[in-house]
Amino acid sequence: MKQWLLIALALLLGACNTTPSELDDLEKVLRAYEHSMRWSRLELAVQYYKDPPELSERQKKRLRDIKVTDYKVLTINASTTEAVQAVEMRYYNTNNHVVREITDTQTWEYDKETERWALTSKFPEFK
C-alpha cells in the first residue's frame, strides 16, 4: 500500500500537465503489468507492448520456467505522453534455482487515438 501511495505521489508531482484520467489509466496499466510480472505470467505481459515481441515456442517455454520473486519500483517519472519507470526484479529459473536480479527501465507512451498506455522499451532479458 505504501508503495502505491509513493507511486501516486510521484505521478502527481511529475505529471502536472497530465489529466486525471490519463493518470488513472497509467496507474491501472502499471499495476496490471506488475501483476503479470509478479505472478510470472510473462506471456501475458507482452500484451502491454506497443509492438509485442513475437515469441517462438522455445522462448515461451523458457519464460514459463522463469519465476519472479520480487518486483520493486525504484523510480517513476511521467508526463502527458510518456512515463519512465525503473523496476528491480528478482527471479529464478526453475531449471537451476539461481536467484538473479535485473533492473528494467520501462518506457511507456500514451496514444491519444487509442487512449492507451503501451510499453515501447524492450522486454526484460531473463538470463
Side-chain angles (χ1 to χ4, degrees), residues 50-61:
K50 185 175 184 176
D51 298 312
E54 301 223 2
L55 302 173
S56 67
E57 285 304 313
R58 182 174 178 236
Q59 289 170 313
K60 288 178 185 178
K61 184 196 177 312

Side-chain angles (χ1 to χ4, degrees), residues 83-112:
V84 178
Q85 175 174 258
V87 174
E88 182 180 272
M89 283 186 271
R90 289 179 187 252
Y91 68 95
Y92 68 93
N93 184 314
T94 58
N95 294 317
N96 61 22
H97 300 284
V98 175
V99 176
R100 297 183 188 265
E101 185 176 296
I102 59 171
T103 299
D104 182 31
T105 302
Q106 304 163 359
T107 303
W108 295 82
E109 288 183 0
Y110 185 75
D111 184 334
K112 290 184 181 184

Side-chain angles (χ1 to χ4, degrees), residues 2 6-7 24 32 40 42 62 68 84 89 91-92 95-96 105 109 120 123 126:
K2 181 179 175 183
L6 290 173
I7 290 171
D24 289 344
S40 301
L42 305 179
R62 188 169 181 280
V68 175
V84 178
M89 283 186 271
Y91 68 95
Y92 68 93
N95 294 317
N96 61 22
T105 302
E109 288 183 0
T120 58
F123 193 77
F126 296 101

Side-chain angles (χ1 to χ4, degrees), residues 8-117:
L9 181 60
L11 286 172
L12 289 172
L13 292 176
C16 295
N17 294 330
T18 305
T19 64
S21 67
E22 288 168 332
L23 283 176
D24 289 344
D25 291 346
L26 177 60
E27 184 179 353
K28 287 175 189 173
V29 76
L30 291 175
R31 190 176 304 169
Y33 182 76
E34 177 182 349
H35 186 266
S36 295
M37 298 302 276
R38 274 189 185 270
W39 289 100
S40 301
R41 301 182 75 190
L42 305 179
E43 285 184 66
L44 292 178
V46 299
Q47 73 180 335
Y48 296 98
Y49 285 79
K50 185 175 184 176
D51 298 312
E54 301 223 2
L55 302 173
S56 67
E57 285 304 313
R58 182 174 178 236
Q59 289 170 313
K60 288 178 185 178
K61 184 196 177 312
R62 188 169 181 280
L63 285 178
R64 285 191 290 271
D65 292 337
I66 299 295
K67 302 298 177 199
V68 175
T69 61
D70 190 32
Y71 184 101
K72 184 165 91 175
V73 176
L74 302 175
T75 62
I76 185 165
N77 188 9
S79 71
T80 55
T81 58
E82 184 177 82
V84 178
Q85 175 174 258
V87 174
E88 182 180 272
M89 283 186 271
R90 289 179 187 252
Y91 68 95
Y92 68 93
N93 184 314
T94 58
N95 294 317
N96 61 22
H97 300 284
V98 175
V99 176
R100 297 183 188 265
E101 185 176 296
I102 59 171
T103 299
D104 182 31
T105 302
Q106 304 163 359
T107 303
W108 295 82
E109 288 183 0
Y110 185 75
D111 184 334
K112 290 184 181 184
E113 282 186 26
T114 62
E115 296 182 344
R116 179 180 178 262
W117 286 92

